[in-house]
Amino acid sequence: MSDNALKLYGEKCNELLREEEIRFAGIVDKDGQLIAGGFKEGLVPHEGDETRLQSFLEFVSKASIRKEYDESLGPINYLAARRDKAVLVSFPFPITQILLLISAEPTANIETLAKKVVEIFTDVT
């Protein structure tokens, strides 16, 4: 991936991090490595945040790769998990084989987050 693409993804993640409820917005490559974005500046992650994000990433990577329902139901737009302490949402970008991973406050509206992501990333994917 080019330096320009990485810079653009970083800028888009930073734009998401301006949203009050978003704690983490990062782009992860197919190997599970964070290549852009991260935690909101000044935020103290909950204990285990990074471990939980890595576990969620492993789950969504496997789920996003699965294609058995794409023909009948369409491709995955996003995967979400609501936990007691966080909402985790993953958006696969199939063409570039990367994922946008978001962690937000448990009060976050998943549909509102999804609309914001589409708004911010429409010109990128």
Side-chain angles (χ1 to χ4, degrees), residues 3-72:
D3 287 343
N4 285 342
L6 288 175
K7 182 179 178 191
L8 181 60
Y9 282 126
E11 290 169 0
K12 298 294 185 178
C13 287
N14 287 337
E15 192 172 339
L16 279 174
L17 288 169
R18 290 187 202 113
E19 296 295 311
E20 186 177 329
E21 292 184 310
I22 295 179
R23 299 174 53 79
F24 175 92
I27 301 290
V28 182
D29 69 13
K30 64 182 183 206
D31 298 320
Q33 299 300 308
L34 181 67
I35 59 172
F39 282 97
K40 185 175 283 188
E41 191 174 320
L43 178 90
V44 177
H46 295 309
E47 183 179 340
D49 261 3
E50 293 182 47
T51 303
R52 278 193 291 277
L53 287 171
Q54 188 62 39
S55 296
F56 185 67
L57 171 64
E58 289 170 15
F59 165 75
V60 296
S61 293
K62 290 175 187 167
S64 297
I65 292 169
R66 298 177 71 182
K67 304 284 184 200
E68 69 259 24
Y69 298 110
D70 281 8
E71 192 172 310
S72 60

Side-chain angles (χ1 to χ4, degrees), residues 51-114:
T51 303
R52 278 193 291 277
L53 287 171
Q54 188 62 39
S55 296
F56 185 67
L57 171 64
E58 289 170 15
F59 165 75
V60 296
S61 293
K62 290 175 187 167
S64 297
I65 292 169
R66 298 177 71 182
K67 304 284 184 200
E68 69 259 24
Y69 298 110
D70 281 8
E71 192 172 310
S72 60
L73 299 176
I76 293 171
N77 294 317
Y78 63 87
L79 297 170
R82 185 174 295 281
R83 301 288 192 146
D84 288 343
K85 294 183 179 180
V87 169
L88 301 169
V89 189
S90 169
F91 298 84
F93 297 163
I95 294 171
T96 53
Q97 296 185 342
I98 59 173
L99 292 167
L100 168 63
L101 184 59
I102 293 174
S103 174
E105 298 296 338
T107 55
N109 180 302
I110 293 168
E111 285 298 317
T112 303
L113 281 178

